[in-house]
Amino acid sequence: GVVGVVLLRNWWQGEALDWRHSLRIEAGLIYPAIAAAVFAAVALWNIRRSKHLKTTGEKLMLWGLLWLIVYDAAFVGGYIQWLAAGALLLLLPAAWISVQLMRWWSRLVQLASPLDYQPARGDDWSD
């Protein structure tokens, strides 16, 4: 979506794209790489000491969702400004609280309306 809009804008204004310049590796990429390595290490550590892989997987999915904010902050810190990255990290507690509220609400709704399984109507499976 956004990449398409940027490409269309550049084409419309006749600007040439230098892909080598756009895809270069810079020092700012070290921070997102460190964030990815930390997440991978935490995930492996949790998987190795886990007795129940299903609950560990659910926990890692939640951490991965919240870790996106850490990645964003790492990119902002590496390419823009550390103060802005710190401000972005302030969203992490709000996101964690929101996720906890959604999980609590889903359990509450699940308890309030138990599933009622009914047998299939009719025994004719020839249709």
Side-chain angles (χ1 to χ4, degrees), residues 19-38 67 70-80 82:
W19 293 106
R20 291 172 297 164
H21 178 71
S22 300
L23 299 176
R24 70 186 183 279
I25 296 176
E26 291 186 357
L29 284 177
I30 191 70
Y31 305 113
I34 290 171
V38 167
W67 205 258
V70 175
Y71 287 134
D72 289 342
F75 276 107
V76 169
Y79 286 100
I80 299 173
W82 280 107

Side-chain angles (χ1 to χ4, degrees), residues 102-119:
M102 287 187 293
R103 292 173 82 191
W104 171 79
W105 182 256
S106 70
R107 280 187 236 128
L108 184 67
V109 170
Q110 185 180 13
L111 291 175
S113 59
L115 297 176
D116 184 23
Y117 294 103
Q118 296 179 0

Side-chain angles (χ1 to χ4, degrees), residues 27-97:
L29 284 177
I30 191 70
Y31 305 113
I34 290 171
V38 167
F39 182 79
V42 168
L44 287 174
W45 181 69
N46 276 295
I47 289 170
R48 287 192 176 154
R49 60 182 273 266
S50 171
K51 294 179 182 171
H52 304 287
L53 286 179
K54 181 183 177 197
T55 56
T56 302
E58 290 172 354
K59 186 186 296 186
L60 288 177
M61 284 193 309
L62 172 62
W63 288 355
L65 176 68
L66 296 174
W67 205 258
L68 290 173
I69 296 173
V70 175
Y71 287 134
D72 289 342
F75 276 107
V76 169
Y79 286 100
I80 299 173
Q81 183 185 37
W82 280 107
L83 185 61
L88 192 57
L89 279 177
L90 292 176
L91 293 175
L92 196 56
W96 184 80
I97 289 169

